[in-house]
Amino acid sequence: MGKEQSRVVVREYDENTDLEKAEALEKSCAVGSLSVDLMGDPLARIRQSPSFHMLVAEIGYERKEIVGMIRGSIKTVTCGNIAPFHRLQDGGVSPESTKLAFVSGLRVSPFYRRVGIGLKLVQRLEEWFRRNGAVYAYVQTESDNDASVKLFTDKCGYSKFRTPTFLVNPVFNHRVTISRRVTIIRLAPSEAEILYRSRFSSTEFFPSDIGTILNNKLSLGTFLAVPRGEYSTGSWPESWAVLSVWNSKEVYRLQVRGTSRFKRTLAKTTRLVDGALPFLKIPSFPDVFRPFSMHFLYGIGGEGPRAAEMVEALCSHAHNLARKCGCAVVAAEVASCEPLRLGIPHWKVLSPEDLWCLKRLRHDRDGRDWTTSPPGLSIFVDPREI
């Protein structure tokens, strides 16, 4: 083991020479119930970020083999409840922000595991984070992925920080009916940015470059829901909700593996019936047993006694948009205590519990420590990191 590990070289990923080997490694690691196909670009999921980096672990002398890889990105976000906030001249408050790094895409070849390659990749990526001014680093993983959780919490010094839920809803063959009590308005990116900054800039993980996200070609639009007849009065309604749609279809595809033939046949039957008799509006199980794509709903928020109803109408609109685009599912990720999650349709069998782990890379100003802060009701989930 020691000899194999000593021959491992960690270096920066080279798009011109490493693409084929990186794709092969990605496929060799797809041994779980859910595999990911990155559409031929290992950097696709972080390339939209303002600052990104990718490393590979290489072994061998004359015939070199890539046996591990990792991706990372850096952005500025709101850190949530580590008040006091800075006071503004008009008497308001400015939420505290920090430079946050994101760890993703850690892969190690099944033939070279348990020799420290994953740890080496994380440590080298953290060196790049520190050189580029990141104060914190975080990683998203499934709560039941014991190997990943142990690596980051036991060996890399990360703390279990937040436990959001990844809510997944199938896209049916039939259109979903949108409540007649609700009016849905498409916002221009500039209008959406004003709304997000004015209403959600103090939400934990809110990105300072929200305008870049909303103007990204993968962002399919931002939609505002209000009670019918109230928006035209010119005053802001008591109840409202907003969300944006991200086209993950252009970045990666997913596939569920290891399901029995009986369950696949049963799922296919529901799709056939739904397709033949769409007026019955039978909930059909999507074909997730072959490579499929999804739309991701982000920036979910709202206020008022009917906010959950507004969110449900927006999710119905997003479902119909995903159906038109040929997606199998729509998904959203929200905080475990998010009050609006009641309005987000999802199937529990498809919706895993997530775990976000956070690490302080250097001391923040004034000695504040985000890793020990209590969770808020909501988090802002960046679609570039899903």
Side-chain angles (χ1 to χ4, degrees):
M1 292 292 186
K3 182 178 179 181
E4 294 291 345
Q5 187 177 1
S6 65
R7 291 193 288 130
V8 173
V9 174
V10 176
R11 61 169 175 81
E12 186 174 349
Y13 170 76
D14 187 333
E15 293 185 74
N16 296 319
T17 60
D18 296 337
L19 176 59
E20 185 176 340
K21 293 179 180 179
E23 287 178 334
L25 174 62
E26 190 83 42
K27 291 178 180 178
S28 73
C29 293
V31 295
S33 60
L34 185 67
S35 64
V36 181
D37 179 4
L38 288 176
M39 307 293 285
D41 183 1
L43 284 170
R45 294 176 77 174
I46 60 169
R47 192 182 291 276
Q48 316 300 327
S49 298
S51 178
F52 58 88
H53 194 56
M54 180 169 171
L55 298 170
V56 296
E58 193 174 61
I59 197 168
Y61 295 105
E62 294 184 1
R63 185 173 180 177
K64 297 180 180 180
E65 177 184 3
I66 292 179
V67 297
M69 60 185 181
I70 194 170
R71 297 181 286 269
S73 58
I74 301 174
K75 62 183 178 182
T76 300
V77 303
T78 301
C79 6
N81 298 323
I82 60 170
F85 291 153
H86 295 305
R87 288 284 169 185
L88 300 178
Q89 292 181 354
D90 61 4
V93 293
S94 174
E96 188 71 25
S97 61
T98 193
K99 210 165 184 181
L100 176 69
F102 175 58
V103 181
S104 68
L106 175 60
R107 301 285 186 269
V108 177
S109 168
F111 303 105
Y112 291 94
R113 290 175 181 169
R114 306 190 196 289
V115 296
I117 294 176
L119 176 61
K120 197 174 210 179
L121 284 165
V122 173
Q123 291 173 336
R124 285 289 300 276
L125 185 61
E126 288 179 349
E127 291 176 8
W128 181 80
F129 289 159
R130 291 187 179 93
R131 287 198 306 271
N132 287 273
V135 179
Y136 297 92
Y138 87 112
V139 61
Q140 303 172 1
T141 186
E142 297 85 1
S143 58
D144 59 356
N145 188 338
D146 293 335
S148 178
V149 173
K150 287 181 179 179
L151 170 64
F152 284 98
T153 59
D154 293 352
K155 296 182 179 180
C156 298
Y158 287 70
S159 303
K160 294 180 181 180
F161 189 59
R162 300 291 182 256
T163 54
T165 304
F166 201 81
L167 304 177
V168 180
N169 201 50
V171 174
F172 308 127
N173 280 329
H174 64 268
R175 285 179 56 84
V176 173
T177 302
I178 301 174
S179 172
R180 295 180 179 273
R181 290 158 40 94
V182 179
T183 297
I184 295 178
I185 304 159
R186 184 188 180 103
L187 301 178
S190 58
E191 296 173 320
E193 181 176 358
I194 291 172
L195 174 59
Y196 279 126
R197 289 195 185 279
S198 63
R199 301 282 180 158
F200 304 114
S201 61
S202 61
T203 302
E204 196 170 40
F205 288 94
F206 183 82
S208 64
D209 65 336
I210 182 64
T212 301
I213 299 173
L214 296 170
N215 283 284
N216 192 291
K217 64 180 180 179
L218 297 178
S219 193
L220 299 180
T222 299
F223 303 92
L224 175 69
V226 297
R228 183 170 294 276
E230 291 192 16
Y231 191 72
S232 59
T233 63
S235 60
W236 195 254
E238 181 184 15
S239 295
W240 59 275
V242 65
L243 64 73
S244 300
V245 181
W246 187 262
N247 187 13
S248 300
K249 180 179 181 180
E250 300 301 319
V251 182
Y252 58 85
R253 299 202 178 192
L254 306 163
Q255 182 176 0
V256 174
R257 301 177 182 270
T259 306
S260 67
R261 178 175 295 181
F262 171 76
K263 290 183 178 179
R264 293 198 301 270
T265 301
L266 184 62
K268 183 178 181 180
T269 301
T270 66
R271 293 194 299 275
L272 291 173
V273 174
D274 189 15
L277 305 169
F279 57 89
L280 294 179
K281 298 187 181 298
I282 296 174
S284 53
F285 200 93
D287 188 3
V288 295
F289 314 111
R290 293 184 297 178
F292 68 93
S293 54
M294 75 172 188
H295 282 174
F296 182 74
L297 313 183
Y298 71 98
I300 300 173
E303 295 174 350
R306 294 176 59 189
E309 178 189 352
M310 302 297 109
V311 168
E312 185 174 1
L314 288 172
C315 289
S316 296
H317 177 73
H319 168 279
N320 294 337
L321 177 62
R323 174 179 174 270
K324 186 176 180 180
C325 294
C327 293
V329 301
V330 290
E333 189 162 22
V334 297
S336 57
C337 50
E338 171 61 64
L340 294 180
R341 67 181 291 172
L342 295 175
I344 305 175
H346 64 280
W347 282 14
K348 189 174 181 179
V349 68
L350 298 175
S351 304
E353 294 293 328
D354 241 349
L355 174 64
W356 291 11
C357 298
L358 185 70
K359 177 180 180 178
R360 183 163 62 166
L361 300 174
R362 64 177 72 211
H363 287 291
D364 206 346
R365 57 179 177 271
D366 300 328
R368 295 186 177 94
D369 187 358
W370 189 15
T371 64
T372 61
S373 67
L377 291 177
S378 305
I379 55 175
F380 192 101
V381 182
D382 193 327
R384 298 171 296 189
E385 297 171 357
I386 296 299

